[in-house]
Amino acid sequence: MKLLLKLLLSLMLLLLIVLSVGYAFLRSHWGITTVSRWISDATPYHLSVQRFTHDWSHPLRFELNTVTFGEDGQPALLITDKLTLTLTAHQLISPLHFSRITIEQGTLVLSNLTPEVTLPVSADHLVLQAVKLLNPYPTHCLSAKKIDGILSPWQPSQQALLGKKFTFAFSAQMVNIAHQQFDKLVATGNKDHERLIINTLSGAVERGTFSGQLSRSADGQWQVPSLQLDNIRFQTTKRLNELLRPFTLAAIDLHNLSINHLSIVGPDWVINDLSATGQHLVNPPSPSGHLVVDAQSVVIGTEEWSNPHLTLTAQNDALSIDKFNVGWARGTVTARGQWQKSSGNLSLDELSLSDIRYTLPENWRAFLHTELPPAISSITVKSFNFNNGLLIDVTPQFPFQMTAAHITGNQLLLAEQHRWGLWAGSAEYYAAAATFNRQDVRALWFTLEANNKTLVLRDIKSLVDEGPIVGNLTVSQQPPHTFALTLRGDKVPYAALTARLWPQPLSGRGSFTLQLKGALPSLLEAPAYLDGTITTPTFTQRVAP
């Protein structure tokens, strides 16, 4: 028994001597560099350590200084001034699993690690203190400065440097993601394989702040319990439709959205001081939720809208425009209606324009020949009101102006199969004064009826000077758009009717009957040919076909 006791004491003494010699060996610069070189030669990694330090007041904590570590054949993955390893009893079973690994004042270069490689070390806790993160690959544009945080546990695996299951709490002075900079970023949460939960997320971006919560399910669906954006101001080179496209395609369920004083400047558009609230915004497969949007102004090209307000409700493949009003062209526009996603039908229960003072753009005729966006196949306005409007067209070929115009319409089909037009409905039109190709007309009134075959203006009434004119006009909706016009008048200056149509304009004034027919290249172009007669009490004159 005494012999066995002596043998155990001798072994313990020998172990103590070996540990002491090894400890002294590692504490020397030559010793730690020799061990680093041996590890580099014996493993598929390269390691460089300049100094090993230890404080007996913390016996299980060891400090490595000026450390470089990486995969053989690759630049360094980690470069740090100080790497602290805290041992645990688990070391007896797994020597490379530590209780805590702390990286201070270091740099991680993610692109210097081959995705198929699994790092040989792990820890119950990975702690970063003032660490810089780089990933310069164009497809993974990610960088960060002064990261502080903890990840528990850290068990790296193939293509998952941080591991597949862990909790985290991090802050960073600056983060760049896909060329977008975020400052003072704070995030806490956990990850379980493909499932990610971020309990708190906040930071500063584009001179504003943001905060929220979000999670991603295993199938890639994003859940956002809350998201708040405040006082964000930024510029973009993208057009408005390009900027909105990712939001329309994202798989997201946003429970509560709050946007306050957001301003965006694009290449030819501006949204100034936008605020919005949203509840249960879901997309895809079918958009749903409730959204209220207000802004100080919106500018697209040369058009400006002031104080727009929009309330939307989406449900069951339909988007309801509960309320829309905006200041435009020194007047107001209001609307409400519904858009069906599956059919692309936009149906407005009400569209009202009041006190509009608008000069039509030079290309307005060409615009009406363009197709509507794929998302909108048809537009129907059940009740249309245009009150006290002023419309001006300064096109040299046929300028016109309509003053104090009033239009009421019912069941107007303004677009069909992605084409603008007036394909159905009825309307009544009145203008206190109008000018057509420099000819003044007063008290213009008529009713309009349309279907997919014809467009009819009935009971046309107006005054030219003091002479009344009445008539009717019928136009075919299909090419070649044949038309027939009948006008009768009394005490009307003949020159107002014949100066631009007949080779021998009439002079004086009196009664007349005009019969005119022809064809139009389109409903917005001058006639391709004319054929007709004007009859007065003294003679009849014909226009050549």
Side-chain angles (χ1 to χ4, degrees), residues 122-163:
S122 59
D124 294 333
H125 307 286
L126 174 64
V127 180
L128 305 181
Q129 297 180 0
V131 172
K132 180 187 295 185
L133 180 67
L134 297 175
N135 190 4
Y137 284 166
T139 54
H140 302 284
C141 295
L142 172 66
S143 64
K145 293 181 180 179
K146 291 190 176 181
I147 303 175
D148 295 294
I150 183 169
L151 183 144
S152 305
W154 180 49
Q155 296 175 323
S157 60
Q158 281 191 2
Q159 301 193 7
L161 180 61
L162 299 181

Side-chain angles (χ1 to χ4, degrees), residues 204-410:
V205 62
E206 299 292 353
R207 294 173 287 177
T209 60
F210 66 92
S211 61
Q213 301 170 302
L214 65 154
S215 64
R216 185 189 65 197
S217 62
D219 60 1
Q221 176 76 30
W222 284 96
Q223 300 281 336
V224 184
S226 66
L227 177 62
Q228 180 169 331
L229 309 175
D230 295 303
N231 302 303
I232 291 177
R233 309 280 190 272
F234 74 94
Q235 291 183 322
T236 177
T237 58
K238 296 182 178 180
R239 298 189 178 277
L240 188 58
N241 58 345
E242 296 174 334
L243 190 70
L244 294 177
R245 189 174 298 127
F247 295 96
T248 60
L249 298 178
I252 189 170
D253 184 351
L254 204 167
H255 292 190
N256 288 285
L257 171 68
S258 176
I259 300 176
N260 300 299
H261 310 297
L262 167 70
S263 294
I264 311 175
V265 178
D268 60 349
W269 59 275
V270 177
I271 298 177
N272 185 36
D273 198 12
L274 179 144
S275 296
T277 58
Q279 292 82 39
H280 303 290
L281 304 175
V282 179
N283 186 52
S286 295
S288 63
H290 184 72
L291 181 66
V292 179
V293 181
D294 293 277
Q296 183 178 8
S297 63
V298 175
V299 179
I300 302 177
T302 59
E303 299 294 336
E304 179 176 359
W305 292 267
S306 60
N307 301 311
H309 171 86
L310 178 63
T311 302
L312 298 173
T313 300
Q315 187 177 11
N316 298 330
D317 195 50
L319 180 64
S320 176
I321 305 171
D322 301 322
K323 184 178 181 181
F324 173 73
N325 56 66
V326 64
W328 177 64
R330 291 181 286 178
T332 59
V333 180
T334 62
R336 58 183 179 87
Q338 190 176 79
W339 171 70
Q340 297 288 339
K341 180 181 178 182
S342 57
S343 63
N345 295 329
L346 175 61
S347 177
L348 298 179
D349 298 322
E350 176 187 356
L351 176 60
S352 178
L353 297 87
S354 300
D355 301 313
I356 297 297
R357 305 290 184 267
Y358 187 59
T359 300
L360 295 169
E362 184 177 350
N363 65 338
W364 71 271
R365 291 178 175 84
F367 170 78
L368 292 178
H369 284 295
T370 61
E371 288 194 351
L372 274 73
I376 301 177
S377 62
S378 65
I379 299 175
T380 301
V381 181
K382 297 179 180 179
S383 177
F384 177 75
N385 288 278
F386 185 91
N387 301 310
N388 196 34
L390 171 62
L391 292 179
I392 302 172
D393 184 3
V394 295
T395 304
Q397 291 80 5
F398 193 86
F400 65 81
Q401 175 175 313
M402 291 176 280
T403 304
H406 297 262
I407 306 172
T408 58
N410 295 286

Side-chain angles (χ1 to χ4, degrees), residues 150-181:
I150 183 169
L151 183 144
S152 305
W154 180 49
Q155 296 175 323
S157 60
Q158 281 191 2
Q159 301 193 7
L161 180 61
L162 299 181
K164 295 182 178 180
K165 186 175 182 178
F166 55 84
T167 62
F168 61 89
F170 286 104
S171 65
Q173 184 185 68
M174 185 275 289
V175 176
N176 267 301
I177 302 176
H179 309 294
Q180 178 62 59
Q181 179 173 319

